[in-house]
């Protein structure tokens, strides 16, 4: 029996990378999936294909998580199609790296709005439904940069640190309604987003990672699956680092 049968999950930014792996993993456990994308409809369709090919059920909905009205529409679309919402994975994110001295206001705003405000917006849009049904699982994807900082990423690290504070605060607000809120902090995971990092930064990260190799998108998906499972029902407000030990350095 698949553990998530009957459950519905919204995974933001799930047209590719970590989000796609999470969507496919949750579908393999029986969840019905709302694949969210901002602009790449073709990539979202590929995620749908992977889910359906494995016998899962999914739809794709466009929404820019930096816009609160879009997040409301995304959650409403999930409810209209599937009739319920049990799981929200706030994965959508972006980077605009650069030293602070050269960082534009636009580069600051777009990273904060997507990574931090997007987490707030989708969680707020989903909260009333989860509270009413007295059940919910929210997992926010943060980063080791939010725990340790990273030169050239003041915007990204600030947003991801904010996600951690948001996670802990919301967990305290909704715990009495049987809603858990946790975060996962990935280390270096090769994706389209991390491909923007210089080889020097990647090499430095690997030299500081005790396990000595990058993680995979499936590593993050497996961690999400654990945090929304019954085995983790007494875990909330926590940050799980999936980073090969990088954050210890």
């Amino acid at each position: 029996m698949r553990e998530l049968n009957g459950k519905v999950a919204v995974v933001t930014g799930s047209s590719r990378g970590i989000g796609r792996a999470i969507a496919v993993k949750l579908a393999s456990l029986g969840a019905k999936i709302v694949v969210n994308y901002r602009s790449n409809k073709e990539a979202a369709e590929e995620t749908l294909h992977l889910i359906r090919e494995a016998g899962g059920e999914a739809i794709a909905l466009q929404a820019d998580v930096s816009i609160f009205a879009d997040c409301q529409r995304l959650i409403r679309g999930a409810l209209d199609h599937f009739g319920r919402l049990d799981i929200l994975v706030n994965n959508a994110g972006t980077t605009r790296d650069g030293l602070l001295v050269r960082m534009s206001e636009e580069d600051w705003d777009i990273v904060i709005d997507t990574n931090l405000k997007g987490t707030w917006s989708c969680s707020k849009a989903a909260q009333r439904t989860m509270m009413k049904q007295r059940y919910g699982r929210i997992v926010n994807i943060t980063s080791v940069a939010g725990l340790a900082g990273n030169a050239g990423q003041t915007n990204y690290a600030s947003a991801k640190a904010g996600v951690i504070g948001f996670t802990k605060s919301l967990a305290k607000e909704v715990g009495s309604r049987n809603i858990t809120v946790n975060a996962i902090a990935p280390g270096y995971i090769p994706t389209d987003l991390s491909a923007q990092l210089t080889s020097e930064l990647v090499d430095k990260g690997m030299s500081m990672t005790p396990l000595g190799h990058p993680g995979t998108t499936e590593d993050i998906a497996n961690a999400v699956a654990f945090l929304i499972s019954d085995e983790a029902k007494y875990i909330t407000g926590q940050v799980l680092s999936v980073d090969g030990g990088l954050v210890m350095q």
Side-chain angles (χ1 to χ4, degrees):
M1 180 177 178
R2 298 193 294 179
E3 184 177 347
L4 298 182
N5 278 348
K7 297 290 197 300
V8 174
V10 170
V11 183
T12 68
S14 48
S15 63
R16 58 183 181 172
I18 289 173
R20 173 181 286 178
I22 293 169
V24 171
K25 176 66 177 183
L26 300 191
S28 76
L29 296 173
K32 299 174 182 178
I33 307 296
V34 176
V35 173
N36 159 249
Y37 67 99
R38 182 179 66 86
S39 59
N40 196 336
K41 184 177 181 180
E42 292 76 16
E45 292 287 345
E46 177 61 25
T47 304
L48 289 183
H49 174 73
L50 292 171
I51 291 171
R52 291 167 178 168
E53 191 176 45
E57 185 176 351
I59 61 170
L61 295 177
Q62 188 279 333
D64 182 341
V65 300
S66 70
I67 302 171
F68 181 51
D70 274 25
C71 295
Q72 291 178 301
R73 177 170 53 79
L74 172 64
I75 299 302
R76 188 164 56 246
L79 293 171
D80 288 346
H81 190 87
F82 289 120
R84 61 181 296 119
L85 174 63
D86 305 281
I87 300 156
L88 171 64
V89 183
N90 286 305
N91 166 77
T94 192
T95 58
R96 294 291 189 279
D97 293 349
L99 296 175
L100 180 61
V101 70
R102 291 195 293 269
M103 185 177 293
S104 68
E105 182 178 4
E106 180 184 8
D107 285 345
W108 172 270
D109 286 346
I110 193 169
V111 170
I112 297 296
D113 286 350
T114 301
N115 294 280
L116 180 55
K117 182 187 174 186
T119 298
W120 175 87
S121 295
C122 289
S123 299
K124 182 174 175 63
Q127 182 180 2
R128 191 175 301 276
T129 294
M130 290 183 173
M131 292 182 71
K132 185 176 181 180
Q133 67 194 16
R134 301 188 71 86
Y135 178 88
R137 298 289 180 263
I138 298 175
V139 179
N140 301 320
I141 306 301
T142 179
S143 168
V144 293
L147 292 166
N150 198 25
Q153 290 190 316
T154 53
N155 49 5
Y156 184 74
S158 296
K160 292 302 190 178
V163 168
I164 292 171
F166 175 85
T167 297
K168 293 178 178 292
S169 298
L170 184 58
K172 291 182 177 182
E173 291 185 12
V174 299
S176 64
R177 296 299 183 98
N178 192 32
I179 301 169
T180 65
V181 189
N182 292 289
I184 292 172
Y188 176 61
I189 310 292
T191 64
D192 290 348
L193 194 63
S194 63
Q196 301 174 33
L197 297 174
T198 65
S199 59
E200 289 79 11
L201 281 176
V202 173
D203 290 344
K204 181 180 179 181
M206 286 300 92
S207 70
M208 297 173 63
T209 300
L211 289 185
H213 60 81
T216 67
T217 56
E218 288 75 19
D219 290 328
I220 309 305
N222 290 336
V224 172
F226 168 68
L227 287 175
I228 65 174
S229 71
D230 287 343
E231 285 81 1
K233 65 183 178 181
Y234 202 55
I235 299 173
T236 195
Q238 302 303 306
V239 181
L240 175 59
S241 294
V242 184
D243 65 355
L246 174 61
V247 80
M248 294 190 297
Q249 303 303 308

